[in-house]
Amino acid sequence: MSHVIDDLELYILGALPPEEDRAVADHVAGCDGCRREADALEAAVTALQDALPAHEPSPELRDRILASASAPQPDVLRVVPARTGSITLRRASLPTYGLVAAAVALAVLSIGALRQVDTLRAEIDESHTIGLRVSQPAKTWYMSGVDRWQGAGGMLYAPQGSTAFVVFRDLGPAPAGQSYTIWLVDAEGRWIRGSSFASTEGRVRMVDVGVPVDGFDRCAVTLETRTEGARQGPIVMQSRFY
Amino acid sequence: MHAIRTVAGMIDLDPTDESLMADLVERRLPALGTLYDRYGRLAYALAYRILGEPEAAEDVVHDAFLLAWRGAPGFRRDRGSARGWLLSIVHHRAVDVLRRKTAFRPAPLEAAERRASDADTAEEAARNVEEEGVRRVLAALPEAQRRTIELAYFGGYTQVELAQLMGVPLGTVKGRMRIGLQKMRRALEHAG
């Protein structure tokens, strides 16, 4: 790519479309001359930032950030959404292939033990897949728990070209006869039902959203008695913006 | 609260941004806390300026710091400062959110009022003087240039949108930005 001197002001101010922004960023990273010019212009942006009126965030924001960052590698419950006709809960730790080797070494070569090893290997492979999903570049939206679910949270991941999913934190089991439902809310305030699931154990879960997420404004989770139809139950958690 | 690093018996209560970034790469959570203590208010002020709503601004800051935590291994010192890198994440995220909400566009900077603090310390007073100096630099720009820069940076408008909004050709938008930023740069160098 040729020098991007003409686009640097637009780039520094964030006024380029995403594709052009990335192209300029890539060029600047590898071009000393354009990099020097961009650095000099950045002083003006720093000045814009320094001139901002002071506003205080809530005291809780710091703890919320640290809590999200410190969320441990989860025991993951892989849930197939209820709309597919079944709910399958499988518990697995994130991949430790040494565990597989140990399991194989200790297993008694009986049919039952071999089945257990096969199940464990399948769970570990699946956990590895889930870990890969979380590590992919994706747009994310954070949902905060409300009322009696305060302290719980969920992060919706929307990887490009892949199914959107939510990873929950500190979400306890749904009461008997009820299930959690993921909702997407558009700019007009319409609530579109996503997946329903019932947590029975474990602290963190991962659930596919079940519907495309493009074009929606917010996301939320409610507690419902039905797996279809309009929203009726209380809000468990919700995002501010989509 | 400062991150504490022990190096040969010494305690560093004021780590540099570079050392904080190195700690983030090493997954040391207190470094993220220190980074927030250092830039959290500014990040929030930027997000709030763009979005105009405190809850949305907090969500953006939360997301941005998490992205910084996850993306720290990708930070390159030769590509800019840690502050610049972090605030660019905040800016991108805030503009991304703003662009999905077409109804809201923030007013230019002259409409944003600074709230006086009853607890101004000497440090805050010094910062106020510095901020006032920067505001004078901005105020000294011709209105068209200042407005173009503010709408681009705080309004999230692309160059095409700015041209349509202001009713001028694309080249005029670019020219206003270039000249305005160059003037700011010279004024800041002169003041510094």
Side-chain angles (χ1 to χ4, degrees):
Chain A
M1 184 180 184
S2 57
H3 289 301
V4 295
I5 295 286
D6 286 347
D7 291 329
L8 280 179
E9 287 85 7
L10 292 165
Y11 167 69
I12 288 294
L13 293 174
L16 287 174
E19 314 77 44
E20 291 180 43
D21 186 271
R22 275 192 293 275
V24 172
D26 288 343
H27 173 84
V28 168
C31 175
D32 288 344
C34 290
R35 173 76 257 161
R36 277 194 296 275
E37 189 62 23
D39 283 347
L41 287 172
E42 202 164 316
V45 171
T46 300
L48 286 173
Q49 295 162 356
D50 287 339
L52 285 167
H55 290 282
E56 289 289 336
S58 68
E60 293 77 25
L61 179 57
R62 188 182 194 274
D63 290 341
R64 184 180 146 201
I65 290 170
L66 294 180
S68 296
S70 66
Q73 293 294 321
D75 286 339
V76 176
L77 278 166
R78 177 74 170 101
V79 176
V80 175
R83 289 191 307 167
T84 64
S86 67
I87 296 178
T88 304
L89 301 178
R90 283 177 283 181
R91 189 189 196 99
S93 297
L94 283 175
T96 53
Y97 291 102
L99 180 61
V100 175
V104 171
L106 289 173
V108 175
L109 291 178
S110 67
I111 294 176
L114 285 172
R115 282 187 184 150
Q116 288 175 7
V117 168
D118 285 344
T119 300
L120 179 61
R121 184 177 294 118
E123 289 179 352
I124 291 175
D125 286 346
E126 186 174 56
S127 298
H128 180 65
T129 300
I130 292 168
L132 286 176
R133 290 182 77 187
V134 173
S135 67
Q136 288 175 1
K139 294 182 181 179
T140 59
W141 291 265
Y142 179 75
M143 292 184 281
S144 302
V146 298
D147 300 328
R148 66 181 188 263
W149 294 281
Q150 204 164 27
M155 186 80 85
L156 189 152
Y157 293 83
Q160 194 172 11
S162 185
T163 306
F165 59 95
V166 180
V167 176
F168 293 100
R169 176 178 60 84
D170 291 335
L171 182 64
Q178 293 181 292
S179 60
Y180 296 111
T181 299
I182 299 171
W183 298 87
L184 300 172
V185 187
D186 65 17
E188 282 74 45
R190 286 188 292 258
W191 288 61
I192 306 302
R193 180 183 279 266
S195 305
S196 293
F197 61 100
S199 172
T200 58
E201 58 182 295
R203 198 159 62 90
V204 175
R205 337 173 26 81
M206 178 177 292
V207 181
D208 285 343
V209 174
V211 294
V213 300
D214 289 335
F216 290 95
D217 222 43
R218 286 184 290 128
C219 53
V221 174
T222 63
L223 188 62
E224 304 287 341
T225 54
R226 301 186 305 168
T227 57
E228 58 185 9
R231 175 178 67 96
Q232 292 182 329
I235 294 176
V236 173
M237 59 181 68
Q238 61 184 341
S239 69
R240 297 288 188 269
F241 284 108
Y242 180 81
Chain B
M1 187 174 79
H2 295 283
I4 297 176
R5 177 201 294 270
T6 301
V7 177
M10 302 290 289
I11 297 177
D12 184 356
L13 292 178
D14 194 18
T16 63
D17 283 356
E18 286 74 22
S19 69
L20 282 181
M21 293 306 299
D23 283 346
L24 255 61
V25 172
E26 296 296 321
R27 314 304 282 173
R28 292 185 178 129
L29 195 62
L32 184 63
T34 302
L35 195 68
Y36 178 84
D37 294 337
R38 191 168 291 180
Y39 297 121
R41 288 176 73 202
L42 185 55
Y44 178 76
L46 176 58
Y48 184 82
R49 176 67 179 84
I50 293 172
L51 293 170
E53 296 185 25
E55 291 176 343
E58 287 204 0
D59 284 346
V60 162
V61 172
H62 169 275
D63 292 353
F65 273 87
L66 272 196
L67 286 168
W69 172 250
R70 290 185 199 136
F75 170 71
R76 293 267 307 272
R77 179 61 186 93
D78 57 358
R79 295 185 186 181
S81 66
R83 167 190 154 146
W85 177 74
L86 176 65
L87 292 182
S88 72
I89 295 174
V90 173
H91 183 261
H92 274 86
R93 183 78 183 115
V95 167
D96 190 41
V97 171
L98 181 66
R99 283 178 177 158
R100 294 176 186 274
K101 283 175 60 66
T102 56
F104 177 74
R105 281 289 190 265
L109 197 59
E110 67 261 18
E113 296 176 0
R114 183 184 176 277
R115 294 171 191 158
S117 166
D118 290 333
D120 267 351
T121 62
E123 187 181 317
E124 286 172 356
R127 186 167 182 269
N128 295 344
V129 169
E130 190 181 325
E131 287 174 8
E132 194 51 45
V134 172
R135 291 198 189 94
R136 275 201 294 273
V137 168
L138 281 167
L141 290 178
E143 183 178 346
Q145 292 168 13
R146 179 167 50 82
R147 191 170 176 81
T148 302
I149 290 170
E150 288 170 355
L151 286 171
Y153 191 65
F154 298 116
Y157 291 102
T158 64
Q159 54 174 329
V160 172
E161 290 167 339
L162 281 170
Q164 292 171 350
L165 183 70
M166 305 180 94
V168 298
L170 266 179
T172 301
V173 170
K174 278 189 171 183
R176 286 175 180 175
M177 279 189 192
R178 173 170 305 122
I179 297 170
L181 285 177
Q182 297 290 354
K183 284 182 181 176
M184 284 180 66
R185 190 176 147 185
R186 282 196 296 273
L188 291 166
E189 287 170 355
H190 181 73

